[in-house]
Amino acid sequence: MSEVATRRISYSQALNEALSEEMERDPSVLMLGEDVAAPGGVFGVTKGLYEKFGENRVLDTPISEEAMVGAALGASLLGVPTVTEIMFGDFVTLAMDQLVNQAAKFHYMTGGRTSAPMVVRMVTGTAGATAAQHSQSLESWFTHTPGLKVVTASTPYEAKGLLKSAIRDPDPVMFFEHKLLYNSKGDVPEGEYTLPLGEGAVVREGTDVTVVAYLNMLPKVLQAAKKLDREGISVEVWNPRSLVPFDRAGLERTLSKTGRLVIVHEAPRRSGFGAEIAAIAAEEYFDSLKAPICRLGGANTPIPYAPEMENRVIPGVENIIEAVRQTLR
Amino acid sequence: MPNNNLQNYNPEFLARLYHDMVLIRRFEERASELRNAGHIPGFLHPYIGQEAVAVGICAALGKNDFIASTHRGHGHILARGGEPKHMFAELYARQDGYNRAKGGSLHIANIELGIIGANGIVGGGIPLVVGAALAIKRANEADYPGTEKCAGGVSVVFFGDGASNEGSFHESLNLAALWKLPVIFVCENNLYGEFTSQEKHQTIKDIASRSSSYNMTGLIADGNDVLDVFHVMTTAVDNARKGNGPTLLECKTYRHRGHYEGDMAHYRPKEEVEFWMAKDPIDNFGKRLMEGSLMKKEDFQTVEDEIEKTLVDAAEFAGQSPHPDPEEALENVFVESYEGRALL
């Protein structure tokens, strides 16, 4: 991006700009959610949009996730793209029929004769003592439902570029944002840009080991990589950006360079998306691998309340460093 | 304002109502035969007995209006203009089916005909029409490509007494009332949620009474009287188009057969079945048309003959339609650029 003029903005500002620009570009786009209008969303992402686009386009809903997501789908089937905010991702369980049985399947079960251009923004992850029903990382549920695209935004640059692409995408997109990232800052280009779904990115170049990470594990992995650098271990950090579609070629490129793979996510390790990435690497790029793959995930427990227990069940910088060292042993 | 008096209607309109009800009945009977003969691989939920509801409701709709249907959806789709040949082709699981053989009975949809789709999930279609109404509202306000297809429209969802116990029903009624959306919630109360009678699954008799919880108009129609359904529906549609918000319209009716084809429905008392059989919507409307000198005996035969020919041709069309290539199973997971096979 050296040629492009940039601005430093927060992750939540980046999301806000994406929403604002896309609603301006396409007068049919509607936004729905709990407290998204005048209150601007519980994390402030939709601030100012109600004032800018009015009550006909920024719709505060009752606390009715099923009707909210179903209505978003119904509108999208008639050609009105929608963006729905699930206030805490955990509440998506209340809308699962509309996502899993309806949205994911409409295009397929009508033989390609309908489409559902809808985005569901999921506020996800631990944020310090938010406990078991406000902290989960549920992305792998949706990767297991064919028909849904699954996107994660880890930086302001990604948040803006990926959300704009998701809104323009003709399919249902589950868009994961992490609570602890909303205030993080980063550079975004001054002008209009989008980032394609299905293209990962090398976030930090290295030669000894590839660490795959997204959402709030990405900054932790970058911290770990810095520390490991001092030990003479060169870590490449690769961020898939979207889990469905998944950038196999990107994974292959980094693996053919490093030959070692560590995957880190906050979601429980068991059946987490890391298992899928590990399987792709083992099945398709086995010849590139010099060491066993290591998966680092959340403990297979609900998220506890006490901060010291919460830290125990989510991978930390030290766990990442240890995993990398092990892979190199 | 139309009402229940035959003399207030155009004879051609009345003949069309009769025709459409017979078409649904014969379609369902034929579908059952074709399934028994091994032509239809999936299962069927026959609409027989409820024809007056689909026909009376859809007769009050125009081209920019949308319906969402249920697992018992063939009647709604036919009444909304679905073509028997593409429906049979779908049931046969052939390429010329409405859904290219990917949906079957439970999922027939065609947005161009205003059919958002049948639905395999009880109550699953209810939130979808709230969204369709949002799209209609947006089309009424803004200018973007496609608004001409739904501007000024209303959206309608069919569901049963069983679905009125689902959360989706309550959430959707609240939302539609809150936003004053042009939705008509049509409850076909056929007295059974699958194999369970209404008195065993809810404490109320009139589902329309649930409208009061949402400060919404609730209306009841005789679901076995096509003109009564049409009359009450017209009131609801007028209100919706005027911006007066949604209506919960309950049609009291009865399914003549079991929950699905093959269910002998032994759970129903004989007297109850006999009572409702005597209220057959087609027989009774036919009698009224005869008494009103609007149709003669030979006219009924003409309707039967014409429908017989349509259905014979439709079944032949379905039988000749190619089977899908199994590889097509991997297509249409996403709209573009990604094929199911290589995609995670």
Side-chain angles (χ1 to χ4, degrees):
Chain A
M1 295 200 313
S2 55
E3 307 290 312
V4 182
T6 59
R7 289 176 300 135
R8 199 165 168 75
I9 61 172
S10 72
Y11 180 91
S12 70
Q13 177 66 24
L15 293 165
N16 184 282
E17 287 183 11
L19 291 165
S20 182
E21 287 176 21
E22 290 308 300
M23 290 184 76
E24 216 161 330
R25 186 185 63 78
D26 180 349
S28 63
V29 175
L30 298 181
M31 210 176 73
L32 304 88
E34 292 158 12
D35 301 322
V36 295
V42 73
F43 293 96
V45 171
T46 59
K47 233 172 232 162
L49 299 176
Y50 173 76
E51 289 73 13
K52 189 168 178 187
F53 297 103
E55 59 180 5
N56 292 340
R57 296 188 69 193
V58 181
L59 300 149
D60 260 341
T61 68
I63 304 170
S64 301
E65 283 80 7
E66 183 172 12
M68 179 200 313
V69 172
L73 169 60
S76 76
L77 290 169
L78 266 61
V80 169
T82 53
V83 185
T84 305
E85 177 176 303
I86 302 288
M87 184 189 271
F88 283 82
D90 313 70
F91 309 161
V92 80
T93 51
L94 295 154
M96 284 304 258
D97 177 59
Q98 289 300 321
L99 288 167
V100 174
N101 284 322
Q102 314 289 343
K105 294 172 173 55
F106 247 92
H107 181 65
Y108 186 84
M109 66 189 178
T110 57
R113 287 178 165 138
T114 60
S115 69
M118 61 188 284
V119 178
V120 177
R121 291 183 37 239
M122 306 261 301
V123 180
T124 200
T126 51
T130 47
Q133 296 173 343
H134 289 73
S135 301
Q136 293 167 90
S137 299
L138 301 174
E139 66 274 13
S140 71
W141 282 1
F142 299 99
T143 66
H144 204 63
T145 301
L148 297 176
K149 291 177 179 169
V150 179
V151 175
T152 60
S154 309
T155 65
Y157 176 62
E158 287 181 8
K160 185 170 178 183
L162 292 171
L163 183 54
K164 282 169 72 84
S165 292
I167 295 171
R168 294 180 195 187
D169 196 275
D171 293 308
V173 180
M174 304 300 295
F175 193 91
F176 285 84
E177 301 162 13
H178 197 288
K179 295 179 196 85
L180 287 178
L181 295 173
Y182 283 124
N183 293 324
S184 66
K185 295 242 161 77
D187 288 341
V188 301
E190 279 286 357
E192 157 87 16
Y193 75 101
T194 59
L195 292 173
L197 309 188
E199 261 185 39
V202 174
V203 180
R204 179 188 200 276
E205 298 220 28
T207 51
D208 296 330
V209 56
T210 297
V211 181
V212 176
Y214 53 86
L215 292 171
N216 196 45
M217 286 298 119
L218 186 64
K220 289 194 182 180
V221 165
L222 288 170
Q223 280 179 53
K226 238 186 207 167
K227 290 190 174 176
L228 286 161
D229 213 27
R230 287 179 218 137
E231 295 176 23
I233 297 171
S234 167
V235 176
E236 174 141 311
V237 181
W238 186 72
N239 170 5
R241 287 185 179 161
S242 69
L243 307 184
V244 181
F246 182 76
D247 183 2
R248 290 175 135 76
L251 179 67
E252 184 185 14
R253 274 193 301 277
T254 181
L255 279 187
S256 61
K257 189 171 160 192
T258 64
R260 292 183 181 85
L261 178 60
V262 175
I263 306 147
V264 189
H265 54 61
E266 191 171 320
R269 185 173 184 272
R270 183 172 60 221
S271 303
F273 198 73
E276 190 63 46
I277 297 175
I280 293 171
E283 286 177 348
E284 298 175 28
Y285 314 124
F286 189 74
D287 291 345
S288 303
L289 293 174
K290 299 178 210 161
I293 299 164
C294 176
R295 288 187 294 136
L296 205 54
N300 296 321
T301 65
I303 304 293
Y305 170 61
E308 55 270 56
M309 287 202 282
E310 185 190 284
N311 284 335
R312 169 65 186 79
V313 300
I314 299 302
V317 176
E318 285 311 313
N319 305 117
I320 298 163
I321 289 172
E322 189 46 39
V324 169
R325 281 185 191 139
Q326 247 184 30
T327 306
L328 283 158
R329 230 164 252 159
Chain B
M1 181 63 69
N3 60 25
N4 207 353
N5 184 346
L6 284 187
Q7 308 312 319
N8 293 340
Y9 296 91
N10 176 336
E12 281 167 24
F13 174 73
L14 296 171
R16 200 190 98 210
L17 296 182
Y18 181 80
H19 169 277
D20 289 356
M21 287 199 292
V22 177
L23 174 66
I24 294 169
R25 171 95 32 118
R26 302 291 171 247
F27 179 95
E28 294 291 59
E29 289 167 350
R30 186 59 55 94
S32 166
E33 289 164 22
L34 293 168
R35 184 173 176 275
N36 292 338
H39 295 293
I40 295 173
F43 53 118
L44 302 173
H45 298 83
Y47 194 67
I48 292 171
Q50 302 180 201
E51 295 89 345
V53 180
V55 172
I57 294 293
C58 290
L61 299 178
K63 80 171 173 39
N64 281 18
D65 300 332
F66 290 84
I67 66 163
S69 170
T70 67
H71 56 285
R72 202 176 303 291
H74 300 166
H76 310 138
I77 290 156
L78 288 163
R80 187 68 188 133
E83 287 189 66
K85 63 179 186 176
H86 293 298
M87 292 174 68
F88 273 154
E90 188 61 30
L91 300 184
Y92 271 50
R94 303 297 176 92
Q95 279 183 1
D96 292 296
Y98 271 121
N99 302 34
R100 298 191 173 109
K102 280 199 169 126
S105 171
L106 292 177
H107 306 296
I108 295 178
N110 190 288
I111 298 285
E112 289 71 35
L113 289 173
I115 300 163
I116 294 170
N119 210 302
I121 305 296
V122 171
I126 306 176
L128 300 182
V129 298
V130 175
L134 269 183
I136 289 165
K137 192 163 166 270
R138 187 71 201 134
N140 294 341
E141 298 155 354
D143 188 23
Y144 54 87
T147 55
E148 72 286 353
K149 288 179 189 153
C150 62
V154 300
S155 65
V156 178
V157 60
F158 295 94
F159 56 94
D161 45 304
S164 74
N165 297 329
E166 289 280 9
S168 64
F169 166 84
H170 295 277
E171 289 189 16
S172 298
L173 260 69
N174 183 54
L175 200 53
L178 183 71
W179 290 344
K180 274 197 158 190
L181 292 173
V183 182
I184 298 98
F185 297 94
V186 177
C187 180
E188 296 185 81
N189 183 352
N190 65 13
L191 303 180
Y192 285 85
E194 303 188 356
F195 312 146
T196 301
S197 65
Q198 189 192 5
E199 67 204 26
K200 289 182 182 162
H201 73 66
Q202 53 193 190
T203 54
I204 53 167
K205 275 202 155 71
D206 294 335
I207 290 157
S209 69
R210 289 192 165 166
S211 63
S212 64
S213 303
Y214 305 103
N215 195 19
M216 183 189 293
T217 305
L219 301 171
I220 296 178
D222 177 347
N224 279 30
D225 178 344
V226 68
L227 278 187
D228 194 48
V229 173
F230 173 73
H231 171 59
V232 178
M233 179 63 175
T234 304
T235 309
V237 171
D238 284 348
N239 269 325
R241 288 206 211 283
K242 279 183 200 146
N244 295 336
T247 297
L248 173 59
L249 196 174
E250 177 182 5
C251 299
K252 307 274 193 186
T253 187
Y254 200 70
R255 53 166 213 244
H256 286 187
R257 299 195 177 180
H259 171 55
Y260 52 79
E261 200 56 42
D263 166 21
M264 300 307 290
H266 292 310
Y267 44 83
R268 305 194 299 189
K270 196 166 153 250
E271 306 72 46
E272 179 189 281
V273 176
E274 283 167 359
F275 171 81
W276 282 96
M277 287 296 181
K279 280 166 64 75
D280 184 297
I282 298 177
D283 289 354
N284 287 346
F285 191 56
K287 262 184 223 146
R288 285 182 68 192
L289 292 175
M290 262 236 297
E291 284 159 14
S293 304
L294 288 151
M295 273 174 83
K296 296 190 284 289
K297 218 170 181 178
E298 54 269 33
D299 295 334
F300 292 105
Q301 195 53 50
T302 311
V303 170
E304 293 288 350
D305 292 346
E306 188 209 313
I307 287 170
E308 170 71 10
K309 184 175 180 328
T310 303
L311 294 178
V312 166
D313 291 350
E316 198 183 312
F317 173 85
Q320 285 174 0
S321 175
H323 285 273
D325 179 341
E327 291 302 305
E328 286 172 38
L330 305 181
E331 294 166 5
N332 304 132
V333 177
F334 292 113
V335 171
E336 56 182 4
S337 64
Y338 304 105
E339 288 177 18
R341 71 198 81 190
L343 186 73
L344 264 176

